Amino acid sequence: MAADAVGQAEEQDPELAAELSEAPADADLVDLTSEADPGSEGGSAADVAGPAPVRVSDADGEPTAAADQAALTGPDEDPPTIDEDELRAALEAIMLVVDEPVQEIVLAQVLEQPTDRVTAALEAISAGYTEQGHGFELRRAAGGWRLYTRPRYAAYVERFVLDGQSVRLTQAALETLAVIAYKQPVTRARISAIRGVNCDGVVRTLTSRGLIEETGTEPETGAYLYRTTTLFLEKLGLDTVDQLPDLAPFLPDDVDEVADGER
């Protein structure tokens, strides 16, 4: 093959023929066009396309999906770090504007912090207020957190809020509310039977004030059932109705006879 190339070169270019004749007999003819033009037929695909991208592989040598995703989107961004002082101040600021108890998970979403860290901060703030003897406290009630005035200063707060106006519930309303709180869910007929008087008007008043609400109907009679609301828990500073005081010490001695009479 080399000899044929030399013969053809002698006819076309004597100088090129001299160079080819001096090459070793077993040397392969170099395709000069492949070096001059990598995109030509003689060039390799690697020369044309350039170096392949580096890919992370697993133990079996297969590229991982996480590596491909990271190459496209980059590493995940961590939530911004808030130091303890800033976290405490942010929670206090929010507590001053809420109009109902707010859950830890909601605060965690707003502040972009772990829920456990927010809960610990709220508990620390609450303990600090108590230790320092503030006239208010941060308390968990109705499934969330909110600022409340301390019970020992209730007389001063009441005097300021009421300013000579009576907005208290009547004795009948308080009794009806107590029956619903301890017997819920309960019908109006059952409430009237326990109190010994008709309670329709009182139930409407408690409903309009948001302290009780309807919660379905009784299967046997179809009568509406009533229960206390979140506002009721908030007003009493309770987290659940299970925290209501035990009723036994307030019951009359002949409670069994009264119960038998109701039946």
Side-chain angles (χ1 to χ4, degrees):
M1 178 179 179
D4 295 339
V6 172
Q8 294 176 3
E10 287 178 349
E11 297 177 358
Q12 300 177 1
D13 191 343
E15 294 181 1
L16 178 59
E19 294 179 2
L20 293 175
S21 62
E22 294 176 359
D26 57 348
D28 293 333
L29 183 63
V30 179
D31 188 353
L32 299 179
T33 60
S34 65
E35 296 181 357
D37 186 7
S40 65
E41 202 172 354
S44 65
D47 294 333
V48 176
V54 178
R55 303 178 73 192
V56 179
S57 303
D58 57 17
D60 298 330
E62 295 295 332
T64 62
D68 292 343
Q69 184 64 23
L72 295 175
T73 62
D76 294 336
E77 295 183 0
D78 295 330
T81 301
I82 300 179
D83 59 35
E84 291 300 325
D85 292 338
E86 185 174 357
L87 177 60
R88 176 190 176 106
L91 289 171
E92 289 177 330
I94 293 174
M95 289 297 105
L96 286 173
V97 300
V98 298
D99 56 0
E100 62 182 12
V102 58
Q103 297 179 346
E104 299 95 331
I105 188 172
V106 175
L107 295 170
Q109 292 172 351
V110 171
L111 300 176
E112 296 183 342
Q113 296 299 307
T115 304
D116 293 342
R117 187 185 181 199
V118 171
T119 302
L122 290 168
E123 293 174 349
I125 294 172
S126 177
Y129 289 164
T130 301
E131 181 180 353
Q132 297 167 15
H134 288 296
F136 56 88
E137 61 181 340
L138 180 61
R139 187 168 72 234
R140 197 177 195 282
W145 292 82
R146 187 180 180 185
L147 290 172
Y148 295 88
T149 56
R150 293 196 182 277
R152 62 178 296 182
Y153 304 113
Y156 301 106
V157 176
E158 182 179 11
R159 189 183 309 167
F160 172 77
V161 173
L162 297 183
D163 192 20
Q165 300 178 7
S166 177
V167 295
R168 295 181 179 180
L169 293 175
T170 63
Q171 184 66 27
L174 289 173
E175 292 177 1
T176 302
L177 186 58
V179 171
I180 296 173
Y182 283 95
K183 293 291 187 178
Q184 61 184 312
V186 61
T187 64
R188 285 183 295 180
R190 177 64 172 165
I191 300 170
S192 298
I194 294 174
R195 293 195 59 236
V197 295
N198 185 283
C199 65
D200 291 353
V202 178
V203 169
R204 285 193 296 270
T205 299
L206 295 174
T207 303
S208 65
R209 293 197 178 188
L211 297 173
I212 64 173
E213 62 184 358
E214 295 178 359
T215 175
T217 58
E218 190 176 46
E220 295 81 5
T221 63
Y224 287 111
L225 294 168
Y226 292 89
R227 66 181 178 187
T228 55
T229 62
T230 302
L231 179 62
F232 168 81
L233 295 175
E234 182 183 345
K235 293 298 184 182
L236 269 66
L238 304 176
D239 197 21
T240 67
V241 292
D242 295 334
Q243 296 178 346
L244 287 169
D246 189 8
L247 193 58
F250 303 98
L251 295 176
D253 296 335
D254 58 347
V255 62
D256 293 335
E257 298 178 3
V258 174
D260 292 339
E262 290 181 0
R263 297 193 187 95

